[in-house]
Amino acid sequence: MSGLSFAAPLLLLALLALPILWWLLRAVPPAPTKRRFPGVALLLGLRDDDAETDKTPWWLLALRTLAVAAVIVGFAGPVLNPRTPAEGSGPMLIVMDASWASARDWPARIERLGEILTEAARAERTVAIQPLTGPLTPPEFRAPRDWLPELAGLRPAPYTPDYAAVADWASGIEGIGEVVWFSDGLAGDRDAAIAALAPSRVIQSPQPVLGLIPPSYADGIITLTAMRAARARVAADYPLNAIGPGPDGIVTTLATGTLSFADGEDTATLELSLPPELRNRVQRFEIGGQRSAGSVSLTDDALQRREVALLTAEADAETQDLLSPLYYLNRALAPTADLIEGALDDMLLANPDVLVLADVAQFTASETEAVTEWVENGGLLVRFAGPRLAGSDVSRAEEDPLMPVRLRTGGRTIGGALSWGEPKTLRPFADTSPFFGLPVPPDVTIASQVMAQPDPTLAERSIAALADGTPLVTRKVMGQGQVVLFHVTANAEWSNLPLSGLFVQMLERLAISTRPATPEAEDLAGVTWVPSVVLDGFGLPQDAARFAGVSGTVLANGVLGPELPPGLYAGLERRVALNVLGADDTFTLAEWPLNLPVEGVATQPELLLMPLFLTLALFLLAIDAVASLWLGGRLRGAMPLIAGLAIMLMPIPPAHAQNNSATDEALALLASTDIRLGYVITGDARMDDVSEAGLAGLSAALTRRTSVEPESPLGVDIERDELSLFPMLYWPITERQQIPSDAAYSALNRYLRGGGMIVFDTRDADVSRFGGTSPNARRLQAIAQPLDIPPLEPLPADHVLTRTFYLLQDFPGRHASRDVWVEAAPDAEEVEGIPFRTLNDGVTPVLIGGNDWAAAWATNANGQHLFPVGRGFAGERQREIAYRFGINLVMHVLSGNYKSDQVHVPALLDRLGQ
């Protein structure tokens, strides 16, 4: 609460005595007595060097009065923005919506929650905390200090609470003294829950809630719509980023745009036109600077239109449109796929997703080799039969590599095409078929087809058949790709299948085309959908391995919850994105009862003003002393001394830890022309000096011992400097370190995704372990929360960091804890007896420890160590191992895990004595 209060307000009554003080000060010195003395006339014209005033000047009296007033006010204990104790008593229940809408300012919510716990501890009250998006269990009331270590583990969920279940849960709770509700700010069906819980106050952020509707695609344009719920609907612009893997496979920003909300509007629309190659890479869209699952929209096959190459043996000029083998394929695929036509060699160079051959029978040897390689690398080859294929010898005596089955020779018609007097219908699709669940229209009939040769593998390769069991569509897996054969023509010559809607649906199920609209429930039914990527409450992609598959019915309902988080769900031949917001969703701000107080999340910190007032009093008294000496004429010749003292007392601006005051361009030039290690500027000048000295000492050791010769290290301001110029950043954690801005977090996540590494050093291994509750550890948890950090594990004994340059088993700094954490690697595999795990080529993006490595490395300009490490020889040995670990660290950053290459294994095993 803003305002001013006093710890001892009764002391302010002393201010009433100031008029008396004024009268007393005027009486000192006393007024002189006037007496007439004729001899004084002899003194006229003489100058008295020691003159004294006959009374105290009024301004000096005012100065003394102000000094006394400052002392009185100071000792009264003034406090700016004092904390107002809660009026409740008894156990306190804190409920938190903890939904995706709470993620936008989650650190501020946790900080406010800590303040409420501190207030409860002062009042000696017990507290229970219940996130409403978590399991609703009976409240567990504990001492507030017992909750403080668990605050860092609280996370928002990527869905909203079930308020009906909350109301049922709350109805069984009794004996609560006070209920505090942390609201996410969104309107919901809370009435029953509010009545059951009867909260005494609500904590709600005034920041607007932003959400992103799934993109739509039409006529080559991607349309994105954002919504907001805000009290002040003023004009505002927000960046929108398209995220996906670049050509190098690293996830990055592929395109950007601006969402502009007009004054008074709650929606903003952005249209993007991206080339197919770029559009197909997009994995998600996100509103920049908004860390919530609602501001992220995942993309699926509805956006990622495939490139389909079409080839036929007939020239277009030789046939009419309706008879062309490609006519119906063009009509079916053009709305949802990017079509390519041309020579086979040219189309393969474009690396299409699908190659469709309409009655193409023969290939040259080079064409066969090229198409086979393309399929084995993940291509989908779809072939349609026709007179040419029926009349050829392709896949007759033996199976052709580019055919899924052998074809029967001969038949009841010339060329091997089977014809019936009565057209045949299709049987329902089997549950093992990608077409399972599609309704079979009774009017779809087949008049002719090429026959498959009976074979032991024919049944498993048949994915569609006629009513009598004759295979109609066959498929085989070839490397990473597939070969599919429709045993009928692509036009209406042998069947009316190309004229039906079933034809388009079958192509969709084969992932030849993609559906631009949201799939209907019947499209999802009959398939188990397995999540491949899920979003957390902050909108960050997470591994979905711990989530089970869901049925199409559950996915179609789209009710998000613990078992159905937003994410990307894969079926047999299709992917569906389930986002927090749907195309028809809306949201508004929450409205609370008028008699229920609503407070903001952020509060102004308490500021004790006693030191300020007492300092002011001393300053005024010092001025009084100087003024009194001046009035008494005792300052002659002392003015230069006073001026010198004033200059010495002037505040000196703190020196920046970065000795180099170069501009951003100069910094970029320094960092790009030579290898330089970087450290994050923390704002603590002493800590920044230690970081600089530590990296300078490590750089000197690298120069002496390796071929890497770094120049002097540079301090990095993560708010404005370009991070990609540094292969590694050393980040010491301090208790009072500021939380980075959203822009800085975006830059840090780009740095981590781009292959950079951050070494977090809490410097507290002598008092705490990783994940402990030391002040530095809690600060690291708060700082690292929005970062895109992968799962971590203790540094394994066989990690590449243990052997990039030196063979190491310990990783000490000034402290000697082995509690060092890196990115979790796949389970160790033993290949031909080699006990080394298979690691990715990338460098671990983060390394976390508390051994105070910079202090162990730190040297001055003469190369002398600045800090002691251990005692005697053991301490010097510990410092040496610290240097070796630092060298391994830099070599790992610069060279990756090439040491895991098996070519090095024999030498390493020999050195290890195995």
Side-chain angles (χ1 to χ4, degrees):
M1 170 179 281
S2 61
L4 183 66
S5 68
F6 293 88
L10 293 179
L11 284 179
L12 296 177
L13 295 176
L15 294 175
L16 300 176
L18 288 181
I20 301 175
L21 179 65
W22 178 279
W23 179 80
L24 290 174
L25 290 176
R26 285 189 61 85
V28 180
T33 303
K34 295 182 180 181
R35 294 287 186 269
R36 293 184 180 275
F37 180 58
V40 174
L42 298 175
L43 303 177
L44 295 176
L46 296 178
R47 181 177 179 182
D48 187 2
D49 293 335
D50 298 326
E52 292 188 15
T53 181
D54 62 344
K55 59 183 178 180
T56 305
W58 70 267
W59 55 267
L60 190 57
L61 290 176
L63 189 68
R64 293 172 179 174
T65 304
L66 286 176
V68 175
V71 171
I72 295 173
V73 174
F75 281 109
V79 180
L80 186 64
N81 305 320
R83 293 281 180 267
T84 302
E87 298 179 355
S89 61
M92 175 187 293
L93 174 62
I94 302 176
V95 296
M96 307 179 70
D97 282 338
S99 70
W100 61 267
S102 302
R104 66 192 189 278
D105 53 3
W106 189 254
R109 293 172 183 269
I110 296 300
E111 185 173 351
R112 182 64 191 280
L113 180 57
E115 294 174 356
I116 293 177
L117 291 176
T118 301
E119 295 173 3
R122 292 174 182 170
E124 298 181 351
R125 303 172 64 183
T126 57
V127 177
I129 300 176
Q130 177 62 58
L132 299 183
T133 48
L136 299 175
T137 58
E140 180 184 357
F141 291 95
R142 293 187 282 173
R145 65 176 179 274
D146 294 340
W147 284 106
L148 291 175
E150 300 185 18
L151 297 188
L154 296 177
R155 292 288 188 272
Y159 44 85
T160 55
D162 181 356
Y163 291 113
V166 170
D168 294 338
W169 166 77
S171 61
I173 302 176
E174 297 179 352
I176 305 298
E178 181 184 8
V179 176
V180 180
W181 193 319
F182 275 77
S183 168
D184 60 8
L186 293 182
D189 191 11
R190 289 190 179 92
D191 293 343
I194 293 174
L197 285 170
S200 58
R201 52 178 166 151
V202 173
I203 311 296
Q204 182 170 299
S205 173
Q207 295 185 13
V209 182
L210 297 180
L212 191 61
I213 298 298
S216 61
Y217 182 82
D219 300 327
I221 301 296
I222 303 172
T223 303
L224 296 126
T225 302
M227 299 186 299
R228 69 174 176 179
R231 297 291 180 191
R233 298 184 299 170
V234 298
D237 293 336
Y238 297 92
L240 185 131
N241 303 319
I243 308 297
D248 55 0
I250 298 175
V251 176
T252 185
T253 300
L254 301 177
T256 60
T258 301
L259 290 164
S260 297
F261 286 91
D263 194 7
E265 295 294 331
D266 291 328
T267 60
T269 301
L270 173 66
E271 293 185 347
L272 289 178
S273 178
L274 302 178
E277 173 65 20
L278 196 61
R279 185 184 64 242
N280 290 340
R281 292 180 179 273
V282 176
Q283 295 178 342
R284 67 183 185 272
F285 293 96
E286 60 183 32
I287 302 176
Q290 300 295 313
R291 298 194 300 270
S292 76
S295 63
V296 176
S297 180
L298 298 172
T299 63
D300 54 18
D301 294 340
L303 178 64
Q304 297 177 355
R305 289 162 54 101
R306 294 200 163 201
E307 291 185 345
V308 180
L310 303 178
L311 182 66
T312 181
E314 297 182 7
D316 291 341
E318 296 178 0
T319 57
Q320 299 178 3
D321 284 345
L322 295 179
L323 299 179
S324 170
L326 300 182
Y327 175 77
Y328 296 101
L329 288 171
N330 273 289
R331 293 289 299 273
L333 298 175
T336 56
D338 297 314
L339 303 182
I340 305 174
E341 294 189 40
L344 179 61
D345 294 340
D346 295 337
M347 292 191 296
L348 290 178
L349 290 176
N351 193 28
D353 298 294
V354 183
L355 175 61
V356 179
L357 305 180
D359 196 19
V360 176
Q362 301 289 346
F363 290 107
T364 65
S366 61
E367 290 175 339
T368 300
E369 182 179 357
V371 174
T372 300
E373 181 182 1
W374 172 81
V375 173
E376 290 178 343
N377 289 332
L380 173 63
L381 175 63
V382 179
R383 305 188 67 165
F384 285 85
R388 284 183 172 79
L389 183 61
S392 70
D393 295 328
V394 175
S395 200
R396 302 303 170 112
E398 59 182 18
E399 183 180 306
D400 188 275
L402 299 179
M403 291 285 286
V405 293
R406 291 173 55 205
L407 299 180
R408 181 180 298 182
T409 58
R412 282 184 263 178
T413 59
I414 297 175
L418 176 65
S419 300
W420 297 277
E422 291 292 333
K424 302 294 184 181
T425 58
L426 277 66
R427 67 162 49 171
F429 300 111
D431 56 3
T432 57
S433 170
F435 310 134
F436 176 71
L438 294 179
V440 178
D443 56 345
V444 174
T445 57
I446 308 299
S448 300
Q449 72 165 129
V450 292
M451 297 286 291
Q453 179 70 33
D455 187 87
T457 63
L458 180 59
E460 66 183 38
R461 295 185 179 184
S462 176
I463 57 177
L466 302 180
D468 60 2
T470 304
L472 177 66
V473 183
T474 52
R475 176 180 66 173
K476 76 171 180 181
V477 176
M478 186 174 173
Q480 298 180 9
Q482 301 178 33
V483 178
V484 177
L485 173 64
F486 281 77
H487 292 237
V488 293
T489 58
N491 57 17
E493 185 177 352
W494 287 6
S495 72
N496 63 357
L497 177 63
L499 304 178
S500 67
L502 178 62
F503 185 65
V504 178
Q505 292 175 318
M506 294 175 72
L507 296 180
E508 289 172 354
R509 286 292 182 92
L510 288 174
I512 296 177
S513 64
T514 55
R515 182 171 299 181
T518 303
E520 301 296 336
E522 56 268 21
D523 299 323
L524 305 177
V527 178
T528 299
W529 298 85
V530 180
S532 56
V533 175
V534 296
L535 296 179
D536 65 6
F538 296 106
L540 299 176
Q542 304 292 323
D543 185 20
R546 64 187 181 92
F547 292 95
V550 298
S551 67
T553 303
V554 173
L555 187 63
N557 291 335
V559 179
L560 298 177
E563 304 301 326
L564 186 67
L568 194 61
Y569 291 79
L572 295 175
E573 302 289 345
R574 185 176 184 174
R575 299 179 307 163
V576 173
L578 182 62
N579 289 297
V580 170
L581 298 175
D584 300 325
D585 288 344
T586 59
F587 56 76
T588 57
L589 286 179
E591 298 292 341
W592 298 90
L594 296 179
N595 61 345
L596 184 59
V598 179
E599 304 174 6
V601 171
T603 58
Q604 295 177 325
E606 263 187 355
L607 181 61
L608 301 179
L609 300 181
M610 175 186 288
L612 178 63
F613 278 93
L614 294 181
T615 302
L616 176 62
L618 291 175
F619 182 71
L620 293 176
L621 292 175
I623 295 177
D624 172 76
V626 174
S628 298
L629 293 174
W630 176 68
L631 291 174
R634 299 185 180 90
L635 291 183
R636 288 194 182 95
M639 292 306 296
L641 177 61
I642 295 175
L645 290 174
I647 293 175
M648 292 177 62
L649 293 175
M650 288 179 62
I652 300 175
H656 198 283
Q658 171 68 36
N659 294 327
N660 194 339
S661 59
T663 61
D664 293 347
E665 293 78 5
L667 177 68
L669 182 62
L670 288 173
S672 59
T673 54
D674 297 291
I675 295 178
R676 294 179 186 268
L677 304 181
Y679 63 92
V680 174
I681 297 174
T682 63
D684 184 330
R686 180 182 175 278
M687 179 53 57
D688 295 340
D689 289 340
V690 173
S691 298
E692 184 178 11
L695 294 186
L698 179 59
S699 298
L702 284 163
T703 301
R704 291 193 305 269
R705 306 185 188 188
T706 73
S707 59
V708 179
E709 300 179 356
E711 294 297 325
S712 58
L714 294 175
V716 179
D717 184 351
I718 58 176
E719 297 292 342
R720 63 181 183 85
D721 291 337
E722 177 56 49
L723 306 183
S724 62
L725 301 173
F726 300 90
M728 180 187 80
L729 290 179
Y730 177 77
W731 192 336
I733 302 300
T734 61
E735 181 180 356
R736 301 184 183 277
Q737 197 165 138
Q738 295 294 323
I739 298 295
S741 65
D742 291 340
Y745 275 121
S746 297
L748 287 168
N749 282 327
R750 286 197 302 270
Y751 176 72
L752 294 176
R753 295 165 185 159
M757 182 172 74
I758 300 178
V759 179
F760 291 101
D761 191 351
T762 57
R763 306 173 296 106
D764 58 359
D766 57 333
V767 297
S768 178
R769 299 195 62 186
F770 178 81
T773 58
S774 71
N776 290 357
R778 290 197 298 269
R779 202 58 179 168
L780 172 60
Q781 292 170 351
I783 290 174
Q785 183 174 294
L787 292 177
D788 190 6
I789 294 178
L792 303 178
E793 67 175 353
L795 200 153
D798 61 347
H799 195 278
V800 69
L801 263 174
T802 63
R803 57 185 185 277
T804 48
F805 195 82
Y806 291 102
L807 295 177
L808 297 178
Q809 296 178 346
D810 297 298
F811 324 103
R814 199 177 183 193
H815 312 307
S817 170
R818 299 197 74 237
D819 206 3
V820 179
W821 291 67
V822 295
E823 179 183 8
D827 294 336
E829 297 180 0
E830 188 164 305
V831 181
E832 299 179 359
I834 300 171
F836 291 110
R837 64 181 61 205
T838 303
L839 298 176
N840 295 328
D841 286 335
V843 175
T844 175
V846 294
L847 182 141
I848 302 177
N851 285 338
D852 199 3
W853 289 294
W857 301 330
T859 58
N860 60 17
N862 298 323
Q864 297 175 334
H865 300 300
L866 297 181
F867 301 95
V869 175
R871 295 182 178 179
F873 177 78
E876 291 306 312
R877 179 61 180 172
Q878 180 175 326
R879 190 193 303 275
E880 171 61 22
I881 299 300
Y883 273 119
R884 293 186 179 188
F885 173 66
I887 292 173
N888 274 21
L889 195 61
V890 175
M891 299 300 287
H892 174 55
V893 171
L894 297 179
S895 61
N897 66 341
Y898 81 102
K899 282 283 188 174
S900 290
D901 193 335
Q902 294 185 12
V903 71
H904 298 276
V905 168
L908 291 172
L909 292 179
D910 182 63
R911 290 182 62 188
L912 289 171
Q914 298 181 5

